[in-house]
Amino acid sequence: MNELAVIFWSGTGNTASMAAAVVEGAGSQAKLVNVNDITADQAAQYDRLALGCPSMGDEVLEEDVFEPFFTALEGQLSGKKVVLFGSYDWGDGQWMRDWAERTKKAGAQLCADPLIVNLAPDADGLAKCRALGAAIAGA
């Protein structure tokens, strides 16, 4: 299918706010999906994916839900157009650099630089999220 899924995990609501702004930027073709409501096989049916997860622990993806989902999806990313986003509270974005590298190694095409926002997205952060949505929608 040529639709876009914006799939996210959020513990505090920051990444959920980012995901909603990504959908806003992408327009009507985008479907907002909490990672708890989709399987990796279902996600793999989309040609374009916007994936959002905050930094957790020692700058890693959320380990109980999102990491297992992404690990299952990873082998099905070849040829997919993908953007990555998430919020953080500490560190320098290593989790996102690691995630982007995994995504590229899986054969996905990153359609924009990954986007990280410190804590809750402000007006500038939300504008960047909308721009990210527009980038993946136009890919």
Side-chain angles (χ1 to χ4, degrees):
M1 72 180 68
N2 196 26
E3 294 177 3
L4 163 63
V6 179
I7 302 168
F8 72 96
W9 184 91
S10 187
T12 63
N14 296 340
T15 302
S17 295
M18 293 178 74
V22 170
V23 167
E24 184 181 330
S28 62
Q29 64 183 306
K31 180 177 180 180
L32 183 63
V33 185
N34 186 299
V35 71
N36 291 305
D37 299 328
I38 192 168
T39 67
D41 288 339
Q42 290 168 332
Q45 298 304 308
Y46 290 86
D47 295 322
R48 293 172 293 154
L49 298 166
L51 303 173
C53 184
S55 172
M56 302 293 287
D58 190 23
E59 288 209 69
V60 296
L61 296 173
E62 189 278 328
E63 297 171 294
D64 293 327
V65 179
F66 200 90
E67 176 62 43
F69 165 81
F70 186 74
T71 298
L73 179 63
E74 212 165 352
Q76 302 178 71
L77 286 177
S78 184
K80 304 282 184 201
K81 295 178 180 180
V82 177
V83 294
L84 305 174
F85 63 94
S87 61
Y88 70 103
D89 185 15
W90 62 88
D92 69 353
Q94 187 61 48
W95 104 98
M96 187 60 75
R97 290 190 295 276
D98 292 344
W99 190 15
E101 185 61 29
R102 285 175 66 186
T103 302
K104 287 188 269 187
K105 281 185 178 178
Q109 174 191 352
L110 286 179
C111 297
D113 289 336
L115 176 62
I116 61 173
V117 172
N118 185 246
L119 298 172
D122 59 11
D124 181 57
L126 291 173
K128 289 177 180 176
C129 291
R130 287 189 290 275
L132 188 70
I136 189 66

